[in-house]
Amino acid sequence: MNHMNGILSNRSRLGCCALIMLSALAAVPAIAQQKTGPGIPADDSLTWHGITLYGVIDIGLQYETNGAPFSDYRPAASGNIVQKNSRQSVFGATPSNMGQSRVGLQGAEPLAGDWSAVFRIETFFNPQSGQIADSLKSLTVNNGRTPANSTTNQDGSSAGQPFQTAFVGVNSKEFGTLTFGRQLTLLTEGTIKYDPNYDASAFGLIGASGTYQGAGSSEDKRLDSMLKYDATFDDIVHVGVLYKFNGSSGGANTAVQAVVGAKYAGASIDAFYSKINDAISASALTETQVNELPKLGYSVTNSVSATISDNTAFAVMALYKIDPVKFFAGYDHIKFANPTNPLSAGFSDIGGYNLAFVNNDAYGLSKTLQMYWAGVRYTVIPNLDLTAAYYGVQQNSYATGKAAGCTTTANSACSGSLEAFSFDADYFFNHHFDTYAGIMYSGVHDGLASGYAFHTTNMNPTIGVRYKF
């Protein structure tokens, strides 16, 4: 994959993936056989011999009161929440506001008894630009730029890989599912389930910032070389465990996660544990770092800087459904420490991007982020959902020396807070097509506002449409 990333442009990679998907589509009958009749819904899935082609296209229009010019590469295009380069009002097309735009194939092949072999591959893309989703490219195109002249750029798990998801495994209704490959972590799946906005990037802090889903690093929402087991017994007890193996490239961080929970009479609760070693948080290079690249032998178009940490997280999430209302709540506690096994400059990150500069000593004292949220989703009529949500974050003071215990904007290691409020409406014309509108307010304070030279608040009224097949 790194070889491909090194020699193919994003456009040619998208063409390669499109050819694979179109080949599969060509094998699907143009008009699927449909079973119709009283009480029998039409089967309009694109399934042939147990293999299903599916996808999502989500695009809308967004206005940010305090933002930066939108990105063609970052999956969400805009920042959605206030960022250090939020300096002006911005209006334009934004992708994946309610759900990630993607195209994929999945299949299930019966083996014996209730056992089946399963697989899934997915490609993420930005419909407004035609580019493969690539958060790290949103960083590299801003290398050497200051917040005053940069576009939207944030780290993430989408790094221009031809397939953002790629796993194979076995499934049993009685014994659960065992899969291996690149896939969502248990913690990420949990936040999607228990977020009132179901991971919508335009209307929820969880979807707008992958830090909390990734147990401290947005690159770790999905992990390469992961073995995952997940099962629900008697439709009540839920358990899961995963282990990420070391990889030769883009896989420095071994990881362990576990979940245990239960559901009963409309209520559901899950508790999570996560330990990720050598977690990578990447950022664009400063002008000084760009000037040093030639003597280091690195390319400015493929290099980023990164902070490395060992992250430990635990979380508790719950929901309760009393038709037509769902209540959601969650708490996520993340501890950052200096890595036991530091990474060296030149390490190849996901997507083949190069870590030209690394910081293994950011946390002389451990940093702690505590995130909490609550919300409600009200199905006013069968086709209309209204959602209101609150998200909050607290950071401890992990500064040392004279700044120890600080509570100001003078240092990013000072204690600080972030809050976000959102309201949105989603109307479903049918199970394929829906339209949505909403707004999210976000604000940062004290240490979490350090380096925000322009604005510390943002609002992002957004409208859009989504088509699923």
Side-chain angles (χ1 to χ4, degrees):
M1 184 178 293
N2 289 334
H3 178 66
M4 288 182 64
N5 285 326
I7 63 174
L8 295 177
S9 67
N10 274 342
R11 188 166 297 175
S12 61
R13 277 182 281 170
L14 182 58
C16 174
C17 295
L19 286 173
I20 295 172
M21 298 304 179
L22 288 174
S23 296
L25 181 58
V28 179
I31 302 176
Q33 291 290 329
Q34 296 185 356
K35 297 179 180 179
T36 58
I40 302 176
D43 179 9
D44 58 358
S45 64
L46 298 173
T47 300
W48 185 67
H49 287 255
I51 298 175
T52 300
L53 173 70
Y54 65 93
V56 178
I57 302 175
D58 182 331
I59 191 166
L61 293 173
Q62 184 179 102
Y63 174 80
E64 284 197 299
T65 56
N66 298 309
F70 297 158
S71 168
D72 285 338
Y73 309 104
R74 182 173 182 263
S78 71
N80 283 305
I81 58 175
V82 64
Q83 308 289 335
K84 289 184 178 180
N85 63 351
S86 296
R87 62 187 185 274
Q88 65 189 62
S89 60
V90 189
F91 176 76
T94 52
S96 307
N97 299 298
M98 189 66 76
Q100 176 63 57
S101 297
R102 70 187 72 196
V103 61
L105 291 172
Q106 64 182 8
E109 179 69 22
L111 298 176
D114 77 337
W115 287 94
S116 296
V118 295
F119 83 93
R120 180 180 299 170
I121 55 174
E122 291 181 327
T123 297
F124 291 179
F125 63 94
N126 285 12
Q128 94 289 5
S129 66
Q131 298 284 344
I132 287 184
D134 193 340
S135 291
L136 273 75
K137 187 165 185 178
S138 80
L139 301 179
T140 61
V141 297
N142 284 282
N143 280 342
R145 297 184 182 182
T146 67
N149 62 13
S150 62
T151 57
T152 297
N153 61 99
Q154 286 181 259
D155 194 11
S157 62
S158 300
Q161 304 97 323
F163 297 111
Q164 187 51 236
T165 299
F167 67 78
V168 65
V170 291
N171 168 262
S172 164
K173 292 182 180 179
E174 182 178 358
F175 296 103
T177 303
L178 181 68
T179 52
F180 181 75
R182 177 169 177 78
Q183 51 193 314
L184 289 172
T185 68
L186 295 169
L187 183 61
T188 304
E189 290 176 334
T191 54
I192 294 172
K193 175 181 177 179
Y194 291 104
D195 178 6
N197 283 294
Y198 297 145
D199 199 36
S201 61
F203 307 123
L205 180 58
I206 293 174
S209 173
T211 299
Y212 313 102
Q213 292 183 315
S217 168
S218 56
E219 291 192 12
D220 294 333
K221 292 171 57 176
R222 294 169 183 82
L223 295 173
D224 295 344
S225 305
M226 184 215 297
L227 184 67
K228 180 169 70 173
Y229 171 74
D230 192 62
T232 299
F233 299 106
D234 296 326
D235 202 31
I236 297 176
V237 177
H238 173 223
V239 297
V241 63
L242 70 79
Y243 180 77
K244 180 191 179 301
F245 297 88
N246 259 321
S248 60
S249 178
N253 45 348
T254 58
V256 175
Q257 286 188 2
V259 59
V260 60
K263 60 179 181 178
Y264 181 74
S268 177
I269 185 169
D270 280 302
F272 300 81
Y273 169 81
S274 173
K275 176 66 176 179
I276 299 179
N277 299 311
D278 290 326
I280 297 169
S281 296
S283 58
L285 301 178
T286 65
E287 183 178 2
T288 299
Q289 290 172 331
V290 168
N291 292 335
E292 294 180 20
L293 286 180
K295 63 183 179 183
L296 296 175
Y298 301 143
S299 168
V300 70
T301 61
N302 196 46
S303 296
V304 295
S305 64
T307 299
I308 314 302
S309 59
D310 287 350
N311 299 341
T312 305
F314 62 85
V316 178
M317 309 174 198
L319 66 83
Y320 185 60
K321 181 179 180 180
I322 312 176
D323 283 333
V325 181
K326 275 188 179 180
F327 300 94
F328 302 80
Y331 173 78
D332 191 2
H333 182 283
I334 308 170
K335 179 181 178 182
F336 302 74
N338 287 336
T340 302
N341 299 301
L343 296 185
S344 300
F347 180 81
S348 183
D349 197 8
I350 56 174
Y353 286 90
N354 179 63
L355 303 188
F357 300 88
V358 296
N359 181 2
N360 292 291
D361 301 304
Y363 307 113
L365 293 178
S366 295
K367 169 185 172 180
T368 299
L369 289 180
Q370 299 182 77
M371 184 192 190
Y372 38 88
W373 68 90
V376 59
R377 178 175 287 258
Y378 174 39
T379 303
V380 183
I381 56 177
N383 288 12
L384 176 63
D385 285 352
L386 302 180
T387 304
Y390 166 80
Y391 307 84
V393 177
Q394 292 288 334
Q395 174 182 281
N396 71 319
S397 175
Y398 61 98
T400 58
K402 293 182 179 180
C406 58
T407 59
T408 70
T409 60
N411 191 319
S412 62
C414 294
S415 63
S417 62
L418 180 159
E419 74 275 339
F421 308 86
S422 68
F423 176 80
D424 55 273
D426 193 6
Y427 182 81
F428 299 85
F429 291 92
N430 50 53
H431 68 281
H432 287 298
F433 186 75
D434 63 304
T435 184
Y436 54 83
I439 187 171
M440 178 167 58
Y441 164 90
S442 60
V444 288
H445 311 278
D446 301 324
L448 286 179
S450 180
Y452 286 64
F454 307 102
H455 299 280
T456 57
T457 64
N458 181 46
M459 290 189 289
N460 69 335
T462 306
I463 60 172
V465 294
R466 176 174 51 173
Y467 184 81
K468 294 178 286 187
F469 63 89

